[in-house]
Amino acid sequence: VQLVESGGGQVQSGESLRLSCVASGLSLDDLLMSWFRQAPGKEREAVSCISRRDGTIYYADSVKGRFSISEDRARNTVYLQMNSLRPDDTARYYCAAVAPGPKNTRYYCSEYGHWGLGTQVTVSS
């Protein structure tokens, strides 16, 4: 099982980035493709996740309207389009294929599954 992220970098406030994650070695049918992030000194948080089975999408309140998750099933790839980036978006972003938690809660994107090594996103003001 391998999840490989790319697309991180350093940008100015207000700019955009698109993260990509290619998954291999596992079936994604019953899993959520997810993006988490962790900033120094802060807890890891779920940013967004998408269900291949029923298309359910979750976004953290802090990114709603700015970030968009999508997937290319043929390439087993999930994307996170991040617009209007802010300094508080600075974190290491992780791709994960996880089991679904309770719907319509912040726990929908559970942390139980497979993880990539992450890609750093730094937003300067």
Side-chain angles (χ1 to χ4, degrees):
V1 176
Q2 193 172 25
L3 298 167
V4 180
E5 305 97 333
S6 62
Q10 184 165 353
V11 297
Q12 297 286 323
S13 182
E15 294 184 341
S16 299
L17 281 174
R18 188 176 81 154
L19 305 183
S20 301
C21 172
V22 181
S24 60
L26 75 167
S27 171
L28 301 175
D29 288 347
D30 295 316
L31 300 175
L32 308 180
M33 289 303 292
S34 307
W35 290 97
F36 290 77
R37 67 184 180 186
Q38 188 166 21
K42 294 188 176 181
E43 291 188 357
R44 184 165 58 193
E45 65 170 337
V47 176
S48 182
C49 58
I50 184 169
S51 167
R52 175 169 292 192
R53 181 165 293 280
D54 64 10
T56 299
I57 292 177
Y58 165 89
Y59 292 107
D61 287 343
S62 57
V63 306
K64 280 180 182 176
R66 300 187 300 122
F67 290 12
S68 177
I69 192 169
S70 61
E71 63 172 342
D72 182 337
R73 295 187 181 189
R75 291 182 169 83
N76 263 4
T77 300
V78 64
Y79 304 98
L80 186 68
Q81 178 67 42
M82 306 186 295
N83 299 328
S84 303
L85 282 162
R86 310 185 306 217
D88 61 358
D89 293 317
T90 294
R92 191 162 186 84
Y93 284 72
Y94 297 88
C95 175
V98 298
K103 275 192 176 180
N104 302 315
T105 73
R106 61 189 286 262
Y107 304 105
Y108 178 60
C109 321
S110 80
E111 298 193 357
Y112 300 102
H114 307 279
W115 290 78
L117 296 178
T119 185
Q120 179 67 33
V121 172
T122 302
V123 185
S124 54
S125 56

